[in-house]
Amino acid sequence: MNILISGGSGFLGSAFSRELMARYRVQNKNVNITWLTRDSSQAHPDDISMMTYEELAQSDMSFEVIVNLAGAGIADSRWSDERKEQLLASRIKPTNALLAFINRTTVKPKLLISGSAIGWYGTQGDKTLTESSGFETDFAHKLCDDWEQLALKATNHGVPVAIVRTGIVIHPEGGMLGKLLTPFKMGVGGKLGDGKQIMSWISHEDWVGAAIFIIEQHLADHTSEGHHASEGHHANVNSRDNVLKTANDTPAVVYNLTAPNPVTNHTFTKALGAWLHRPTFFTLPEFLLKLMFGEMSTLLIDGQKVLPNALLEAGYEFKQPTFKQALTEQE
């Protein structure tokens, strides 16, 4: 199987690549992974191929699966007007390049997995949100929705699309947890605001596992439909509530990549402190967070309770369904 990944060298893409290759080797299956890059000299594992965007524009290769993860970190700096433009462009340009390739290539991919975030739902407090929920309009929603709507254009070329809306990914080497470790280790960690905001998270291992699960379930469904079309039989792997409408009825689905047990920021703080054996007496008040981070402070102050209904209904079994497990059972 040939897989093309934009953002392959990133926090999620690199772990996904490692795990997929490891699993397929154990199963004696062939998998070839290519990372799409702007810099051909970028460091990469020996068993990963590299392709520049210029090479993609001329390539006649075929890929069974494309995974679209490229995008600047939404929480890496304050949301100035310039930063907002960078955040959008870093997602739109790679996706446009992939769409141009899909349009041009003779052998279409069997699946495009495209990244997004639970920010799509906007700020909705402690309301339970699933794949069928609506949204509140804010910058995070618009950023995610623009990215999703562009990726869904792959269905115009007959390519099924799976949108993955990711929560806070828990791993000490990156993401939000990576940024918090230093202050917590110094004993100055603490809750954000009143600590009541709900944090929807997923372990690093489960994000990777869920992404591979979605690919394998879709490809199994694709094969089953091909073999049993005359019998009207195919694998039912998607919740009705996570199916998106497309113009030509090419399949498009959305998955929340979050654990089934979201926690409050207070619980998150206490668990992190206990794991590091450090006190968590400090509090960063809401007004100070707004002063420090501006509009971006909404990511820290305003919670979201997002549940992975589609994954659970499809049969995915979480390896680390509780936050304590995500902290203590690092791969």
Side-chain angles (χ1 to χ4, degrees), residues 70-85:
I74 191 171
D76 287 352
S77 61
R78 288 174 68 101
W79 293 347
S80 64
D81 289 343
E82 181 181 3
R83 180 59 178 172
K84 287 181 178 180
E85 291 177 3

Side-chain angles (χ1 to χ4, degrees), residues 14-55:
S14 57
F16 169 83
S17 300
R18 288 194 303 270
E19 178 63 19
L20 188 66
M21 287 191 293
R23 288 194 192 190
Y24 275 48
R25 282 171 183 156
V26 169
Q27 300 170 17
N28 292 318
K29 295 180 180 179
N30 290 325
V31 60
N32 301 302
I33 295 178
T34 300
W35 286 354
L36 195 57
T37 179
R38 299 193 181 281
D39 180 8
S40 58
S41 65
Q42 182 183 41
H44 61 280
D46 292 339
D47 45 7
I48 297 288
S49 300
M50 302 292 277
M51 177 182 287
T52 66
Y53 284 88
E54 291 76 15
E55 290 169 337

Side-chain angles (χ1 to χ4, degrees), residues 6-7 25 34 127 161 180 220 227 235 252 289-291 300 325:
S6 71
R25 282 171 183 156
T34 300
K127 178 181 178 181
V161 175
L180 289 176
H227 288 167
L289 289 167
K290 289 181 177 179
L291 186 65
L300 306 173
Q325 287 176 298

Side-chain angles (χ1 to χ4, degrees), residues 27 35 44 49 69 86 93 102 111 134 138 143 147 186 221 237 250 270 284:
Q27 300 170 17
W35 286 354
H44 61 280
S49 300
L69 301 175
Q86 292 172 347
K93 289 181 179 179
I102 288 170
L111 179 66
D138 57 16
L143 177 67
W147 195 14
M186 294 174 64
D221 189 30
V237 299
T250 297
K270 292 301 180 184
L284 276 174

Side-chain angles (χ1 to χ4, degrees), residues 171-199:
H171 193 276
E173 294 180 3
M176 179 179 178
L177 186 59
K179 292 180 172 66
L180 289 176
L181 281 185
T182 297
F184 269 77
K185 286 179 177 179
M186 294 174 64
V188 293
K191 66 182 181 180
L192 305 176
D194 62 13
K196 296 179 181 178
Q197 66 272 37
I198 298 176
M199 302 174 67

Side-chain angles (χ1 to χ4, degrees), residues 69-121:
L69 301 175
I74 191 171
D76 287 352
S77 61
R78 288 174 68 101
W79 293 347
S80 64
D81 289 343
E82 181 181 3
R83 180 59 178 172
K84 287 181 178 180
E85 291 177 3
Q86 292 172 347
L87 290 171
L88 183 59
S90 68
R91 289 158 172 78
I92 297 302
K93 289 181 179 179
T95 306
N96 270 328
L98 291 173
L99 288 172
F101 170 76
I102 288 170
N103 178 47
R104 182 175 54 79
T105 189
T106 303
V107 181
K108 306 297 184 188
K110 296 176 182 177
L111 179 66
L112 167 65
I113 288 189
S114 196
S116 186
I118 59 173
W120 184 90
Y121 298 102

Side-chain angles (χ1 to χ4, degrees), residues 228-250:
H228 304 286
S230 61
E231 303 172 24
H233 172 76
H234 61 90
N236 181 20
V237 299
N238 294 319
S239 160
R240 289 178 301 169
D241 292 337
N242 76 323
V243 176
L244 303 174
K245 179 67 176 175
T246 61
N248 60 0
D249 293 328
T250 297

